[in-house]
Coordinates of all heavy atoms in Angstrom, one line a residue:
T131 N 15.1 -9.8 0.6 CA 16.2 -9.9 -0.4 C 16.0 -11.2 -1.2 O 15.3 -12.1 -0.8 CB 17.6 -9.9 0.3 OG1 17.7 -11.2 1.0 CG2 17.8 -8.7 1.2
P132 N 16.6 -11.2 -2.4 CA 16.6 -12.4 -3.2 C 17.1 -13.7 -2.4 O 16.5 -14.8 -2.6 CB 17.5 -12.1 -4.4 CG 17.4 -10.7 -4.6 CD 17.3 -10.1 -3.2
R133 N 18.1 -13.5 -1.6 CA 18.6 -14.6 -0.8 C 17.6 -15.1 0.1 O 17.4 -16.3 0.3 CB 19.9 -14.1 -0.1 CG 20.6 -15.1 0.8 CD 21.8 -14.4 1.4 NE 22.6 -15.5 2.0 CZ 23.8 -15.2 2.6 NH1 24.2 -14.0 2.7 NH2 24.5 -16.2 3.1
E134 N 16.9 -14.2 0.8 CA 15.8 -14.6 1.8 C 14.7 -15.3 1.1 O 14.1 -16.3 1.6 CB 15.3 -13.3 2.5 CG 16.4 -12.7 3.4 CD 16.0 -11.3 3.9 OE1 15.2 -10.6 3.3 OE2 16.6 -10.9 5.0
I135 N 14.3 -14.8 -0.1 CA 13.3 -15.4 -0.9 C 13.7 -16.8 -1.3 O 12.8 -17.8 -1.2 CB 12.9 -14.6 -2.1 CG1 12.3 -13.2 -1.7 CG2 12.0 -15.3 -3.1 CD1 12.2 -12.2 -2.8
D136 N 14.9 -17.0 -1.7 CA 15.4 -18.4 -2.0 C 15.3 -19.3 -0.9 O 14.8 -20.5 -1.0 CB 16.8 -18.3 -2.6 CG 16.9 -17.7 -3.9 OD1 15.9 -17.6 -4.7 OD2 18.0 -17.3 -4.3
V137 N 15.7 -18.9 0.3 CA 15.7 -19.7 1.5 C 14.2 -20.0 1.9 O 13.9 -21.2 2.1 CB 16.4 -19.0 2.7 CG1 16.1 -19.8 4.0 CG2 17.9 -19.0 2.4
L138 N 13.4 -19.0 1.9 CA 12.0 -19.3 2.2 C 11.3 -20.2 1.2 O 10.4 -21.0 1.6 CB 11.2 -18.0 2.4 CG 11.6 -17.1 3.6 CD1 11.0 -15.7 3.5 CD2 11.3 -17.8 4.9
R139 N 11.6 -20.1 -0.1 CA 11.0 -20.9 -1.1 C 11.4 -22.4 -0.8 O 10.6 -23.3 -0.9 CB 11.5 -20.5 -2.5 CG 11.0 -21.4 -3.6 CD 11.5 -20.9 -5.0 NE 12.9 -20.6 -5.0 CZ 13.8 -21.5 -5.2 NH1 13.5 -22.8 -5.2 NH2 15.1 -21.2 -5.2
L140 N 12.7 -22.6 -0.6 CA 13.1 -24.0 -0.3 C 12.5 -24.5 1.0 O 12.2 -25.7 1.2 CB 14.6 -24.1 -0.3 CG 15.3 -23.8 -1.6 CD1 16.8 -23.7 -1.5 CD2 14.9 -24.9 -2.6
L141 N 12.4 -23.6 2.0 CA 11.8 -24.0 3.3 C 10.3 -24.4 3.1 O 9.9 -25.4 3.6 CB 11.9 -22.8 4.2 CG 11.7 -23.0 5.7 CD1 12.7 -24.1 6.3 CD2 11.9 -21.7 6.5
S142 N 9.7 -23.7 2.2 CA 8.3 -24.0 1.9 C 8.1 -25.3 1.2 O 7.1 -26.0 1.2 CB 7.6 -22.9 1.0 OG 8.1 -23.0 -0.3
E143 N 9.2 -25.8 0.5 CA 9.2 -27.1 -0.2 C 9.5 -28.2 0.7 O 9.6 -29.4 0.3 CB 10.1 -27.0 -1.4 CG 9.7 -26.1 -2.5 CD 10.7 -25.9 -3.6 OE1 11.7 -26.6 -3.6 OE2 10.4 -25.0 -4.5
G144 N 9.7 -27.9 2.0 CA 10.0 -28.9 3.0 C 11.4 -29.3 3.3 O 11.7 -30.3 4.0
L145 N 12.4 -28.6 2.7 CA 13.8 -28.8 2.9 C 14.2 -28.4 4.3 O 13.7 -27.4 4.8 CB 14.6 -28.1 1.9 CG 14.8 -28.9 0.5 CD1 13.5 -28.9 -0.2 CD2 15.8 -28.2 -0.3
D146 N 15.1 -29.1 4.9 CA 15.6 -28.7 6.2 C 16.8 -27.8 6.0 O 17.2 -27.6 4.9 CB 15.9 -29.9 7.1 CG 17.1 -30.8 6.6 OD1 17.9 -30.3 5.8 OD2 17.1 -32.0 7.0
T147 N 17.4 -27.4 7.1 CA 18.5 -26.4 7.1 C 19.7 -26.9 6.2 O 20.2 -26.2 5.4 CB 19.0 -26.0 8.5 OG1 17.9 -25.6 9.2 CG2 20.1 -25.0 8.5
A148 N 20.1 -28.2 6.5 CA 21.2 -28.8 5.8 C 20.9 -28.9 4.3 O 21.8 -28.6 3.4 CB 21.6 -30.1 6.3
E149 N 19.7 -29.3 3.9 CA 19.3 -29.4 2.5 C 19.3 -28.1 1.8 O 19.8 -27.9 0.7 CB 18.0 -30.1 2.4 CG 18.0 -31.6 2.8 CD 16.6 -32.2 2.9 OE1 15.7 -31.5 3.4 OE2 16.5 -33.4 2.6
I150 N 18.8 -27.0 2.5 CA 18.8 -25.7 1.9 C 20.2 -25.2 1.7 O 20.5 -24.6 0.7 CB 18.0 -24.7 2.8 CG1 16.5 -25.1 2.9 CG2 18.2 -23.3 2.4 CD1 15.7 -24.4 3.9
A151 N 21.1 -25.4 2.7 CA 22.5 -25.0 2.6 C 23.1 -25.7 1.4 O 23.8 -25.0 0.6 CB 23.2 -25.3 3.9
G152 N 22.9 -27.0 1.2 CA 23.5 -27.7 0.1 C 22.9 -27.2 -1.3 O 23.7 -27.0 -2.2
E153 N 21.7 -26.9 -1.3 CA 21.0 -26.4 -2.6 C 21.5 -25.1 -3.0 O 21.8 -24.8 -4.1 CB 19.5 -26.4 -2.4 CG 18.7 -26.0 -3.6 CD 18.6 -27.1 -4.6 OE1 18.7 -28.2 -4.2 OE2 18.3 -26.7 -5.8
L154 N 21.7 -24.2 -2.0 CA 22.1 -22.8 -2.3 C 23.6 -22.6 -2.1 O 24.1 -21.4 -2.3 CB 21.4 -21.8 -1.4 CG 19.8 -21.8 -1.5 CD1 19.2 -20.9 -0.5 CD2 19.5 -21.4 -3.0
C155 N 24.4 -23.6 -1.8 CA 25.8 -23.5 -1.6 C 26.1 -22.5 -0.4 O 27.0 -21.6 -0.6 CB 26.6 -23.1 -2.8 SG 26.4 -24.3 -4.1
F156 N 25.3 -22.5 0.6 CA 25.5 -21.7 1.8 C 26.0 -22.6 2.9 O 25.8 -23.9 2.9 CB 24.2 -21.1 2.3 CG 23.6 -20.0 1.4 CD1 22.3 -19.6 1.6 CD2 24.3 -19.4 0.4 CE1 21.7 -18.7 0.8 CE2 23.7 -18.5 -0.5 CZ 22.4 -18.1 -0.2
S157 N 26.5 -22.1 4.0 CA 26.7 -22.9 5.2 C 25.4 -23.0 5.9 O 24.5 -22.2 5.7 CB 27.7 -22.2 6.1 OG 27.2 -21.0 6.6
E158 N 25.3 -24.0 6.8 CA 24.0 -24.1 7.6 C 23.8 -22.9 8.4 O 22.7 -22.4 8.7 CB 24.1 -25.4 8.4 CG 23.9 -26.7 7.6 CD 23.8 -27.9 8.5 OE1 23.1 -27.9 9.5 OE2 24.4 -28.9 8.1
R159 N 24.9 -22.4 8.9 CA 24.9 -21.2 9.8 C 24.3 -20.0 9.0 O 23.5 -19.2 9.6 CB 26.3 -20.9 10.3 CG 26.3 -19.7 11.3 CD 27.8 -19.5 11.7 NE 27.9 -18.5 12.7 CZ 28.4 -18.6 13.9 NH1 28.9 -19.8 14.2 NH2 28.4 -17.7 14.7
A160 N 24.7 -19.9 7.7 CA 24.2 -18.8 6.9 C 22.7 -18.9 6.7 O 21.9 -17.9 6.8 CB 24.9 -18.7 5.6
V161 N 22.2 -20.1 6.5 CA 20.8 -20.4 6.3 C 20.0 -20.0 7.6 O 19.0 -19.3 7.6 CB 20.5 -21.9 5.9 CG1 19.0 -22.2 6.0 CG2 21.1 -22.2 4.6
K162 N 20.5 -20.4 8.7 CA 19.9 -20.1 10.0 C 19.9 -18.6 10.3 O 18.9 -18.1 10.8 CB 20.6 -20.8 11.2 CG 20.4 -22.3 11.2 CD 21.3 -22.9 12.3 CE 21.1 -24.4 12.3 NZ 21.9 -25.1 13.4
R163 N 21.0 -17.9 9.9 CA 21.0 -16.5 10.0 C 20.0 -15.8 9.2 O 19.3 -14.8 9.6 CB 22.4 -16.0 9.7 CG 22.7 -14.5 10.1 CD 24.1 -14.0 9.9 NE 24.7 -14.4 8.6 CZ 25.7 -15.3 8.5 NH1 26.2 -15.9 9.5 NH2 26.2 -15.5 7.3
V164 N 19.8 -16.2 7.9 CA 18.8 -15.7 7.0 C 17.4 -15.8 7.6 O 16.6 -14.9 7.7 CB 18.9 -16.3 5.6 CG1 17.6 -16.0 4.8 CG2 20.1 -15.9 4.9
I165 N 17.1 -17.0 8.1 CA 15.8 -17.3 8.7 C 15.6 -16.4 10.0 O 14.5 -15.8 10.2 CB 15.6 -18.8 9.0 CG1 15.6 -19.6 7.7 CG2 14.3 -19.0 9.8 CD1 15.7 -21.1 7.9
F166 N 16.6 -16.4 10.8 CA 16.6 -15.5 12.0 C 16.3 -14.1 11.7 O 15.4 -13.4 12.3 CB 17.9 -15.7 12.9 CG 17.9 -14.7 14.0 CD1 17.2 -14.9 15.1 CD2 18.6 -13.5 13.9 CE1 17.2 -14.0 16.2 CE2 18.7 -12.6 15.0 CZ 17.9 -12.9 16.1
E167 N 17.0 -13.5 10.7 CA 16.9 -12.1 10.3 C 15.5 -11.8 9.8 O 14.9 -10.8 10.1 CB 17.9 -11.7 9.3 CG 19.3 -11.5 9.8 CD 19.3 -10.4 10.9 OE1 18.7 -9.4 10.7 OE2 20.0 -10.6 11.9
V168 N 14.9 -12.7 9.0 CA 13.6 -12.6 8.5 C 12.5 -12.6 9.6 O 11.7 -11.7 9.7 CB 13.2 -13.6 7.4 CG1 11.7 -13.6 7.1 CG2 14.0 -13.4 6.1
T169 N 12.7 -13.6 10.5 CA 11.7 -13.7 11.6 C 11.8 -12.5 12.5 O 10.8 -12.0 13.0 CB 11.8 -15.0 12.4 OG1 13.2 -15.1 12.8 CG2 11.5 -16.2 11.5
R170 N 13.0 -12.0 12.8 CA 13.2 -10.8 13.6 C 12.7 -9.6 13.0 O 11.9 -8.8 13.6 CB 14.7 -10.7 14.0 CG 15.0 -9.5 15.0 CD 16.4 -9.2 15.1 NE 17.1 -8.9 13.8 CZ 17.0 -7.7 13.2 NH1 16.3 -6.7 13.8 NH2 17.6 -7.5 12.1
R171 N 13.1 -9.3 11.7 CA 12.7 -8.1 11.1 C 11.2 -7.9 10.9 O 10.7 -6.8 11.0 CB 13.4 -8.0 9.7 CG 13.3 -6.7 9.0 CD 14.2 -6.5 7.8 NE 13.8 -7.3 6.7 CZ 14.6 -8.2 6.2 NH1 15.8 -8.4 6.6 NH2 14.2 -9.0 5.2
F172 N 10.5 -9.0 10.6 CA 9.1 -8.9 10.4 C 8.2 -9.4 11.6 O 7.0 -9.5 11.5 CB 8.7 -9.7 9.1 CG 9.3 -9.1 7.9 CD1 10.4 -9.8 7.2 CD2 8.9 -7.9 7.3 CE1 11.0 -9.2 6.1 CE2 9.4 -7.4 6.2 CZ 10.5 -8.0 5.6
N173 N 8.9 -9.6 12.7 CA 8.3 -10.0 13.9 C 7.4 -11.3 13.7 O 6.2 -11.3 14.1 CB 7.4 -8.8 14.5 CG 7.0 -9.0 15.9 OD1 7.8 -9.7 16.7 ND2 5.9 -8.4 16.3

Side-chain angles (χ1 to χ4, degrees):
T131 65
R133 181 180 195 177
E134 292 167 339
I135 292 170
D136 289 342
V137 169
L138 291 171
R139 179 180 46 79
L140 293 173
L141 197 57
S142 75
E143 293 172 5
L145 278 67
D146 65 20
T147 304
E149 292 169 323
I150 294 170
E153 182 79 22
L154 298 176
C155 298
F156 294 165
S157 69
E158 286 185 42
R159 184 181 186 122
V161 172
K162 290 177 182 179
R163 189 172 49 250
V164 166
I165 295 168
F166 172 78
E167 285 300 318
V168 168
T169 56
R170 183 191 56 79
R171 189 169 67 239
F172 296 106
N173 198 26

